[in-house]
Amino acid sequence: MRNLIGIAGLKREEIERLLDRAESLSAIMERENKKLPTLSGRTIVNLFFENSTRTRSSFDLAAKRLSADTVTIQASSSSTEKGESLRDTVQTLSAYNPSAIVVRSPHVGAPGMITRWTDASVINAGDGKHEHPTQALLDAFTLRRRLGELDGRNIWIVGDVLHSRVARSNILALTALGASVTVCGPPTLIPRQIEELGCNVSFTLDGSSEADVLYVLRMQNERMEEDQSFIPSVREYARYFQINGKRLGANQLLMHPGPVNRGVELSPDVVDAPQSLITEQVAAGVAVRMAVFYELLAGRGPDGGAAKEEAAQVQGVKSTL
Ligand code: NCD
């Protein structure tokens, strides 16, 4: 694997290999010395054209834990409006000879385009409403830790599916791992033909009490056109779709990619309920992103030999688990 642009196209075995590696790496993260020398001397560029707290900080930390040097650029999305300026930015950054470029962009397809302009591995940290593969991997990792294998598990993804790259990547990842996925929301927030990704569709929460997991999405106001109204009002939306204490069963798990609009898609109390995995999702982000860097970079480049030794070390840790 050279780039990670989406979950689309990944085989179950490839997803499982990344999750297994994240598991071994998270065991190392429990040691006092959390650093591995794997990417020492390499440079990783984080290029963020959209706001981010969790994704950006965990990519940065993951790179540092593997001893890479990092450069983080938070740019305004206006500079990407023309393909040309994105290309200029990438070519400028390529002067640092980075091993990987992590990119978040409001434009669908930007990470794929960047692969044509650089020798670095490109990792999609979210492109418009298209994909957010590392989020789906960390969600699958969190769930697998809680539930074991996901085969036959019933997972509902509730809310603004239309504008959600997290939903798309999660439908692909969770179904690839054998789960049954239902997306749920008002018809205006469910994209047409989403079933083609392999999920079921429900326009009401009826039946959600059967789910093992309720994965709730943020209302993505920033992706809605100003003159278009997708819901009659937040109040009305909350009345039918907000997950609150009454709608979350004692044995159901609750997930959300963050940031949460408390009082809109989730009632404030459920965010911190015992069923909530929201903090575990954030914590999983570092190990999973380390695993992605490892997969894409460790066997490649000038210190490929050293990286192989490292791989053996990680394998060793795994076998002692
Ligand atoms: C998501 C994103 O940016 O796509 N957040 C994240 O990466 N943790 C989801 C969201 O913004 O609602």
mmCIF file of all heavy atoms in Angstrom, residues 54-55 104 132 135 165-166 218 220 257-259, ligand 1:
data_model
loop_
_atom_site.group_PDB
_atom_site.id
_atom_site.type_symbol
_atom_site.label_atom_id
_atom_site.label_comp_id
_atom_site.label_asym_id
_atom_site.label_seq_id
_atom_site.Cartn_x
_atom_site.Cartn_y
_atom_site.Cartn_z
ATOM 1 N N ARG A 54 -9.009 16.839 16.642
ATOM 2 C CA ARG A 54 -8.587 15.462 16.916
ATOM 3 C C ARG A 54 -7.702 14.886 15.825
ATOM 4 O O ARG A 54 -6.651 14.312 16.089
ATOM 5 C CB ARG A 54 -9.806 14.539 17.033
ATOM 6 C CG ARG A 54 -10.711 14.900 18.154
ATOM 7 C CD ARG A 54 -12.133 14.413 17.874
ATOM 8 N NE ARG A 54 -13.046 15.074 18.761
ATOM 9 C CZ ARG A 54 -13.434 16.339 18.625
ATOM 10 N NH1 ARG A 54 -13.042 17.075 17.614
ATOM 11 N NH2 ARG A 54 -14.246 16.883 19.499
ATOM 12 N N THR A 55 -8.159 15.033 14.593
ATOM 13 C CA THR A 55 -7.452 14.370 13.492
ATOM 14 C C THR A 55 -6.047 14.945 13.351
ATOM 15 O O THR A 55 -5.067 14.205 13.256
ATOM 16 C CB THR A 55 -8.256 14.537 12.180
ATOM 17 O OG1 THR A 55 -9.581 14.082 12.423
ATOM 18 C CG2 THR A 55 -7.655 13.745 11.053
ATOM 19 N N ARG A 104 -6.125 17.246 4.581
ATOM 20 C CA ARG A 104 -7.571 17.427 4.787
ATOM 21 C C ARG A 104 -8.000 18.584 3.912
ATOM 22 O O ARG A 104 -7.397 19.665 3.957
ATOM 23 C CB ARG A 104 -7.885 17.721 6.248
ATOM 24 C CG ARG A 104 -9.299 18.256 6.426
ATOM 25 C CD ARG A 104 -9.761 18.276 7.848
ATOM 26 N NE ARG A 104 -10.024 16.946 8.348
ATOM 27 C CZ ARG A 104 -10.711 16.700 9.464
ATOM 28 N NH1 ARG A 104 -11.189 17.680 10.179
ATOM 29 N NH2 ARG A 104 -10.917 15.465 9.854
ATOM 30 N N HIS A 132 -13.084 9.545 4.857
ATOM 31 C CA HIS A 132 -12.235 9.884 6.001
ATOM 32 C C HIS A 132 -11.739 8.534 6.532
ATOM 33 O O HIS A 132 -12.175 8.058 7.581
ATOM 34 C CB HIS A 132 -13.080 10.642 7.035
ATOM 35 C CG HIS A 132 -12.312 11.267 8.152
ATOM 36 N ND1 HIS A 132 -10.957 11.063 8.364
ATOM 37 C CD2 HIS A 132 -12.718 12.104 9.146
ATOM 38 C CE1 HIS A 132 -10.588 11.750 9.431
ATOM 39 N NE2 HIS A 132 -11.635 12.387 9.916
ATOM 40 N N GLN A 135 -10.529 7.779 10.184
ATOM 41 C CA GLN A 135 -11.603 7.825 11.181
ATOM 42 C C GLN A 135 -12.316 6.478 11.218
ATOM 43 O O GLN A 135 -12.573 5.919 12.290
ATOM 44 C CB GLN A 135 -12.586 8.950 10.851
ATOM 45 C CG GLN A 135 -13.771 9.039 11.802
ATOM 46 C CD GLN A 135 -13.401 9.554 13.191
ATOM 47 O OE1 GLN A 135 -12.621 10.489 13.322
ATOM 48 N NE2 GLN A 135 -13.938 8.943 14.245
ATOM 49 N N ARG A 165 -18.419 12.388 5.381
ATOM 50 C CA ARG A 165 -17.367 11.484 4.888
ATOM 51 C C ARG A 165 -17.142 10.353 5.880
ATOM 52 O O ARG A 165 -16.730 9.252 5.508
ATOM 53 C CB ARG A 165 -16.081 12.278 4.677
ATOM 54 C CG ARG A 165 -15.670 13.124 5.887
ATOM 55 C CD ARG A 165 -14.674 14.171 5.482
ATOM 56 N NE ARG A 165 -14.293 15.056 6.573
ATOM 57 C CZ ARG A 165 -13.786 16.271 6.369
ATOM 58 N NH1 ARG A 165 -13.649 16.739 5.161
ATOM 59 N NH2 ARG A 165 -13.419 17.006 7.384
ATOM 60 N N VAL A 166 -17.417 10.646 7.167
ATOM 61 C CA VAL A 166 -17.254 9.609 8.192
ATOM 62 C C VAL A 166 -18.243 8.471 7.929
ATOM 63 O O VAL A 166 -17.896 7.289 8.033
ATOM 64 C CB VAL A 166 -17.480 10.217 9.601
ATOM 65 C CG1 VAL A 166 -17.495 9.134 10.664
ATOM 66 C CG2 VAL A 166 -16.411 11.258 9.912
ATOM 67 N N ARG A 218 -22.500 14.334 13.454
ATOM 68 C CA ARG A 218 -22.725 15.759 13.675
ATOM 69 C C ARG A 218 -23.538 16.354 12.526
ATOM 70 O O ARG A 218 -23.368 15.962 11.372
ATOM 71 C CB ARG A 218 -21.359 16.461 13.722
ATOM 72 C CG ARG A 218 -21.417 17.935 14.028
ATOM 73 C CD ARG A 218 -19.999 18.454 14.226
ATOM 74 N NE ARG A 218 -19.243 18.392 12.976
ATOM 75 C CZ ARG A 218 -19.189 19.381 12.088
ATOM 76 N NH1 ARG A 218 -19.874 20.502 12.282
ATOM 77 N NH2 ARG A 218 -18.468 19.267 10.992
ATOM 78 N N GLN A 220 -23.729 18.761 9.901
ATOM 79 C CA GLN A 220 -22.600 19.467 9.277
ATOM 80 C C GLN A 220 -23.065 20.774 8.643
ATOM 81 O O GLN A 220 -23.100 20.906 7.412
ATOM 82 C CB GLN A 220 -21.955 18.567 8.226
ATOM 83 C CG GLN A 220 -21.583 17.205 8.771
ATOM 84 C CD GLN A 220 -20.117 16.869 8.616
ATOM 85 O OE1 GLN A 220 -19.478 17.262 7.654
ATOM 86 N NE2 GLN A 220 -19.585 16.161 9.579
ATOM 87 N N PRO A 257 -17.998 10.850 15.984
ATOM 88 C CA PRO A 257 -16.617 11.183 15.598
ATOM 89 C C PRO A 257 -16.105 12.473 16.231
ATOM 90 O O PRO A 257 -14.900 12.741 16.200
ATOM 91 C CB PRO A 257 -16.719 11.354 14.079
ATOM 92 C CG PRO A 257 -18.134 11.767 13.829
ATOM 93 C CD PRO A 257 -18.952 11.071 14.881
ATOM 94 N N GLY A 258 -17.020 13.281 16.799
ATOM 95 C CA GLY A 258 -16.629 14.579 17.325
ATOM 96 C C GLY A 258 -16.392 15.558 16.170
ATOM 97 O O GLY A 258 -16.084 15.124 15.075
ATOM 98 N N PRO A 259 -16.541 16.836 16.362
ATOM 99 C CA PRO A 259 -17.042 17.453 17.593
ATOM 100 C C PRO A 259 -18.567 17.302 17.712
ATOM 101 O O PRO A 259 -19.262 17.279 16.700
ATOM 102 C CB PRO A 259 -16.661 18.927 17.397
ATOM 103 C CG PRO A 259 -16.588 19.128 15.913
ATOM 104 C CD PRO A 259 -16.189 17.824 15.316
HETATM 105 C C1 NCD B 1 -15.274 14.505 11.361
HETATM 106 C C2 NCD B 1 -14.783 15.208 10.109
HETATM 107 O O1 NCD B 1 -14.116 16.212 10.189
HETATM 108 O O2 NCD B 1 -15.111 14.691 9.068
HETATM 109 N N1 NCD B 1 -14.578 14.794 12.524
HETATM 110 C C3 NCD B 1 -13.390 14.210 12.786
HETATM 111 O O3 NCD B 1 -12.565 14.002 11.930
HETATM 112 N N2 NCD B 1 -13.199 13.800 14.051
HETATM 113 C C4 NCD B 1 -16.719 14.626 11.524
HETATM 114 C C5 NCD B 1 -17.309 15.963 11.756
HETATM 115 O O4 NCD B 1 -16.678 17.000 11.566
HETATM 116 O O5 NCD B 1 -18.500 15.994 12.117
#
